[in-house]
Amino acid sequence: MELQEKLKILADSAKYDASCSSSGSNRKSGSGVGNTAIAGICHSFASDGRCISLLKILLTNCCIFDCKYCLNRKSNNIKRAIFTPEEICTLTLNFYRRNYIEGLFLSSGIIKNPDYTMELLIKTIFLLRNKYHFNGYIHAKAIPGASPKLLKKLGLLVDRLSANIELPTENGLKLLAPNKESKNVSQIMEYVKINQSKKYVPAGQSTQMIIGATKETDLQIMSKSANLYNQYHLKRVFYSAYVPINKDNLLPSLEHPPLIRENRLYQADWLLRYYNFKVTDLLDVKNPNFNILIDPKADWALRHLEEFPKEINTCSYNELLKIPGIGVKSARRIISSRRNFTIHLEDLKRMGVVLKRAKYFILCNGKYITNKEFFNKKFIERNVMLEERSLIPTNKEQLRLF
Amino acid sequence: MNNIYIYDGDFISLLNIILYLLKNNLHPENIKTDVYHPSLFENTIYLSILKNEKIIDQIISAFGQYAMRSMYYVFLSKEENKELILYYFFQNALKRRHKIMYYHNLKCVSEVLRISNYVRHETHKMKGFLRFKELEKNILYAEMEPTNNILFLVSCHFVNRLKNEFWVIKDNKRKIISIYDKKQFVIVKEEEFKLSQKESKGEQNIEFLWRIFYKTIGIKERRNERCRMNFMPKKYWKYITEVKEEL
Ligand code: SF4
């Protein structure tokens, strides 16, 4: 098979992995090829608007497993291909030199058994690092069930090593990925967590959950994420809206991937990691799913309107973070500025505050920006929804789904 | 009289002139490079001031590294009145010293922040969007047309990234070229450097493979043109291998 055909097949089968980041590592180039940038760099954007930073491919799309949601499952009748290690090196190096990519994302279907597959991944990456002295970014997927010895070897070669948990609950996994065991994934996470260092998986680990293929609620998903962040110190959890590729009675018959829901989960994930929110602040048993029409932070604020409006010049950093329209950067700016002068309304925009959103929730020098009469839930909610509508890149189909 | 002060286009000269004006309590109508064409009502003044390089260190110790860097980024921007903005910034920084960057309520500070961030962002974008071609003799060659004058900043990145390669980057808007010889880079005018543009044998094939990858990796059920444009504005497409054909 020609290289171009392999590339087509093996990029096509890797594209559903949402992970894109190339950050968190700073490998120096020395006498070899390339380095990594601690902040990560996007090199291109695909037709779906997602960032392209790494050459994202599978080593092979042959697989002995039969996960229901996956294009590469054993029972699918599709063209199969396998890269040789040299082919992967050629592509990576040539793309890298031309500045198409930050590095390589290498995953694989399982051939023969997990250990055999891992050995192939290791062989490829070993070649890239040691024969070709490649110092760019490498993100490899660990194969669940592979032995710790191999996890060790692979982790010493790459920047990021991760395993996908795929579904947030054991039940979901049993239903759709009958050959997989969640304990195999948690074993990998545990191993990487314990061994992580400047030499071993320096950019840390991440994982991915598929959204909308099973019936789990957002509460279940977010609780799982919070759990993963705490327990395994993951750098990121990625959420991947389920794209209906296979027909199966066990799978929902969606017409479109649930993209807005995916977006809400990312927003909430952000709130957990940088804004000191807890899952229980955002969701509970009575409201187990995010409001599709309003972002989670504004939604929270609307449910806690008694805490607002907050005075910009006096409230704490933590309180600033809870105000819709104020991000981490602008909150920090506000704190450092107000030590030097009193903040006026016209200064806020310059500090990066999104006034259009924040104006309902703040006082500036004791002044409420719009008419105080309008400080009520109904009015604010309606306005926020109207703005959101123009923000969400979507088609009507999707809204009807929820 | 509307006094326009003229400098030679060099950052250090500009800083020296600004300092001179401030010390002597002179209020410029504007400060411009020597290609400026004054109108009838403007009076251009050429000052012969010593180019004191120490001014950089002096600024760093007086206002801080962050302020210094931001000033330099403003200098690289395409902003029309950047020299004047730097003049006012400098004037206020003399009062606020190290705290100057916190004063978002001063127009000159928020302008410096806005413009320097713009230059910083464009540089970061270009680190991703720049595309090299392989020419004969293994030389890597790239062209770009950035809005701001970021060739120097971009070159600094590739000195580390492509340390063991010969590379050349050309800014087509400003007609300047950065040349790297595996040790250091120099920036020269277009006419000072000739290069045979003949591509290496394998070049077309690699570009072809890259386009295949690009087309394959997008998920068609998630197609989102608006999002793609936001992140990768059309003005850069001309030089981006995988999308220039879509133009
Ligand atoms: S293990 Fe499951 S998800 Fe992974 S490639 Fe095989 S079928 Fe697909």
Side-chain angles (χ1 to χ4, degrees):
Chain A
M1 198 185 281
E2 294 246 1
L3 188 55
Q4 63 195 66
E5 194 176 0
K6 282 192 191 180
L7 179 60
K8 210 181 214 162
I9 295 171
L10 294 170
D12 194 53
S13 45
K15 71 183 176 195
Y16 299 103
D17 201 297
S19 158
C20 74
S21 60
S22 54
S23 57
S25 191
N26 60 346
R27 222 169 259 277
K28 298 275 173 345
S29 64
S31 60
V33 181
N35 62 353
T36 61
I38 191 84
I41 295 175
C42 296
H43 285 258
S44 191
F45 291 86
S47 56
D48 52 19
R50 296 189 307 164
C51 146
I52 299 175
S53 162
L54 305 172
L55 169 62
K56 193 187 286 179
I57 48 174
L58 298 190
L59 188 126
T60 178
N61 65 340
C62 300
C63 193
I64 55 173
F65 281 4
D66 201 41
C67 308
K68 298 281 177 275
Y69 49 81
C70 177
L71 179 66
N72 311 317
R73 62 179 185 175
K74 175 171 75 178
S75 56
N76 272 4
N77 190 8
I78 53 166
K79 264 196 193 168
R80 308 279 171 171
I82 177 164
F83 275 129
T84 65
E86 284 286 349
E87 284 170 334
I88 293 179
C89 293
T90 306
L91 286 172
T92 308
L93 289 161
N94 274 299
F95 285 2
Y96 190 86
R97 290 178 70 219
R98 288 163 179 78
N99 204 41
Y100 300 164
I101 53 171
E102 276 303 282
L104 174 66
F105 171 103
L106 190 59
S107 180
S108 185
I110 303 174
I111 45 174
K112 283 195 188 157
N113 56 56
D115 272 0
Y116 181 83
T117 314
M118 272 293 262
E119 305 250 25
L120 279 180
L121 292 174
I122 292 169
K123 193 171 159 198
T124 306
I125 295 172
F126 184 87
L127 206 63
L128 199 49
R129 285 280 195 233
N130 295 302
K131 180 173 170 195
Y132 298 104
H133 307 287
F134 178 69
N135 287 319
Y137 194 92
I138 301 180
H139 177 173
K141 286 275 157 189
I143 306 296
S147 67
K149 202 177 72 209
L150 298 177
L151 279 179
K152 174 150 195 212
K153 263 196 188 163
L154 187 53
L156 287 168
L157 293 166
V158 300
D159 296 279
R160 173 164 286 178
L161 184 62
S162 61
N164 285 350
I165 147 156
E166 306 292 14
L167 296 161
T169 62
E170 192 76 47
N171 280 342
L173 205 63
K174 276 212 185 93
L175 188 69
L176 296 188
N179 315 96
K180 280 190 179 168
E181 281 184 70
S182 71
K183 80 167 197 306
N184 286 340
V185 173
S186 38
Q187 269 163 6
I188 295 176
M189 291 179 176
E190 184 67 25
Y191 187 90
V192 174
K193 182 188 99 177
I194 295 170
N195 290 287
Q196 214 224 331
S197 72
K198 272 193 189 123
K199 290 228 163 82
Y200 188 87
V201 192
Q205 51 178 338
S206 63
T207 195
Q208 158 171 310
M209 278 189 253
I210 301 169
I211 303 309
T214 42
K215 295 214 166 59
E216 282 96 348
T217 61
D218 292 346
L219 177 60
Q220 283 172 303
I221 295 168
M222 287 320 294
S223 307
K224 185 72 199 179
S225 296
N227 204 308
L228 289 170
Y229 283 126
N230 290 334
Q231 208 175 338
Y232 303 113
H233 309 173
L234 294 194
K235 284 280 167 351
R236 286 289 298 274
V237 174
F238 290 94
Y239 306 92
S240 172
Y242 170 66
V243 181
I245 343 171
N246 300 328
K247 290 238 176 312
D248 199 305
N249 332 340
L250 292 172
L251 293 168
S253 56
L254 303 180
E255 240 176 278
H256 299 272
L259 294 177
I260 307 175
R261 186 176 178 203
E262 179 193 279
N263 184 35
R264 293 291 178 240
L265 288 164
Y266 274 117
Q267 288 172 323
D269 185 274
W270 216 255
L271 294 179
L272 294 190
R273 287 185 298 138
Y274 299 110
Y275 290 78
N276 302 333
F277 277 90
K278 293 196 199 63
V279 178
T280 47
D281 294 334
L282 303 170
L283 299 165
D284 53 47
V285 189
K286 264 195 254 147
N287 297 296
N289 288 306
F290 288 114
N291 188 339
I292 283 301
L293 301 170
I294 299 182
D295 79 82
K297 196 176 173 188
D299 195 55
W300 177 86
L302 282 163
R303 282 184 284 117
H304 295 82
L305 216 50
E306 69 284 354
E307 294 188 23
F308 296 93
K310 290 188 195 287
E311 170 59 52
I312 291 288
N313 279 294
T314 53
C315 74
S316 70
Y317 177 68
N318 232 332
E319 285 176 288
L320 284 172
L321 286 183
K322 303 261 144 111
I323 301 173
I326 295 186
V328 173
K329 226 187 206 162
S330 39
R332 285 206 193 122
R333 281 184 177 167
I334 289 171
I335 295 284
S336 59
S337 294
R338 77 189 184 189
R339 286 193 203 115
N340 299 300
F341 60 90
T342 308
I343 297 172
H344 293 275
L345 188 56
E346 59 274 19
D347 305 330
L348 284 176
K349 245 198 184 137
R350 294 180 185 154
M351 295 173 164
V353 174
V354 185
L355 262 190
K356 210 165 78 182
R357 174 61 50 98
K359 66 180 178 199
Y360 308 109
F361 303 97
I362 58 172
L363 293 173
C364 200
N365 284 316
K367 260 200 310 240
Y368 190 65
I369 300 169
T370 48
N371 196 330
K372 190 87 204 210
E373 272 172 48
F374 294 134
F375 183 74
N376 64 64
K377 190 168 169 176
K378 253 205 184 126
F379 177 81
I380 301 175
E381 194 168 57
R382 207 177 54 224
N383 281 291
V384 169
M385 271 191 205
L386 278 175
E387 281 165 30
E388 284 270 312
R389 207 171 265 186
S390 61
L391 289 176
I392 304 174
T394 182
N395 40 43
K396 284 168 206 103
E397 308 297 324
Q398 258 182 3
L399 281 178
R400 237 183 277 143
L401 266 174
F402 294 101
Chain B
M1 195 64 192
N2 298 329
N3 286 335
I4 309 280
Y5 291 87
I6 302 294
Y7 75 114
D8 61 5
D10 181 83
F11 184 51
I12 294 179
S13 314
L14 175 63
L15 293 177
N16 278 297
I17 287 190
I18 291 177
L19 186 62
Y20 174 86
L21 296 176
L22 288 169
K23 270 189 180 156
N24 294 285
N25 213 4
L26 295 166
H27 303 285
E29 170 73 14
N30 212 332
I31 307 170
K32 287 283 173 191
T33 58
D34 36 17
V35 291
Y36 182 69
H37 298 289
S39 73
L40 264 181
F41 308 101
E42 291 170 336
N43 181 31
T44 54
I45 300 177
Y46 294 80
L47 294 171
S48 58
I49 293 170
L50 216 59
K51 226 162 105 171
N52 180 4
E53 307 233 344
K54 282 203 195 101
I55 195 165
I56 300 280
D57 291 332
Q58 287 162 356
I59 291 179
I60 292 173
S61 68
F63 313 153
Q65 184 82 48
Y66 180 34
M68 178 68 241
R69 187 168 299 174
S70 303
M71 288 176 83
Y72 181 55
Y73 282 16
V74 169
F75 171 74
L76 296 177
S77 76
K78 55 131 204 192
E79 190 75 22
E80 173 91 24
N81 292 314
K82 59 190 181 188
E83 292 89 352
L84 203 58
I85 292 169
L86 287 175
Y87 169 87
Y88 286 117
F89 180 82
F90 206 143
Q91 185 177 45
N92 281 282
L94 287 172
K95 273 184 246 150
R96 313 286 184 189
R97 315 293 288 185
H98 270 91
K99 286 188 178 160
I100 182 66
M101 297 307 274
Y102 296 135
Y103 283 85
H104 295 265
N105 57 341
L106 296 174
K107 183 145 187 256
C108 64
V109 175
S110 66
E111 285 292 280
V112 162
L113 276 167
R114 179 182 64 79
I115 301 164
S116 61
N117 275 332
Y118 179 31
V119 173
R120 192 173 290 123
H121 284 159
E122 190 179 39
T123 307
H124 186 76
K125 281 208 165 108
M126 199 51 83
K127 288 179 192 172
F129 294 158
L130 198 74
R131 295 286 178 268
F132 287 95
K133 268 179 183 309
E134 189 186 63
L135 304 181
E136 283 185 334
K137 298 185 188 131
N138 271 327
I139 297 167
L140 295 174
Y141 176 73
E143 293 182 18
M144 62 176 187
E145 258 174 72
T147 308
N148 301 293
N149 186 10
I150 57 176
L151 184 59
F152 177 82
L153 299 176
V154 168
S155 299
C156 290
H157 171 75
F158 285 103
V159 164
N160 293 316
R161 171 62 48 102
L162 300 173
K163 197 173 177 178
N164 303 306
E165 305 270 3
F166 291 111
W167 51 252
V168 175
I169 305 171
K170 183 170 163 201
D171 179 340
N172 272 333
K173 199 178 262 171
R174 294 164 191 83
K175 313 271 178 227
I176 48 176
I177 299 183
S178 171
I179 310 157
Y180 175 73
D181 66 355
K182 299 196 184 182
K183 283 199 196 75
Q184 56 183 16
F185 71 90
V186 283
I187 294 180
V188 299
K189 289 198 190 113
E190 185 180 13
E191 59 270 19
E192 293 169 33
F193 183 73
K194 281 279 160 289
L195 181 72
S196 150
Q197 303 267 343
K198 205 156 171 234
E199 289 177 7
S200 75
K201 262 205 279 156
E203 180 56 27
Q204 281 308 312
N205 185 39
I206 297 293
E207 287 185 16
F208 178 67
L209 287 167
W210 173 242
R211 280 193 209 102
I212 288 185
F213 177 79
Y214 179 78
K215 278 195 198 103
T216 312
I217 207 71
I219 298 176
K220 65 176 189 310
E221 292 88 343
R222 301 182 60 124
R223 208 188 149 78
N224 191 337
E225 204 50 43
R226 196 169 74 173
C227 198
R228 173 164 79 148
M229 290 306 190
N230 276 345
F231 289 122
M232 191 163 63
K234 269 247 157 94
K235 66 176 176 184
Y236 297 115
W237 283 29
K238 188 170 159 195
Y239 299 104
I240 299 180
T241 320
E242 64 273 23
V243 288
K244 64 179 171 216
E245 282 172 355
E246 284 183 52
L247 276 177

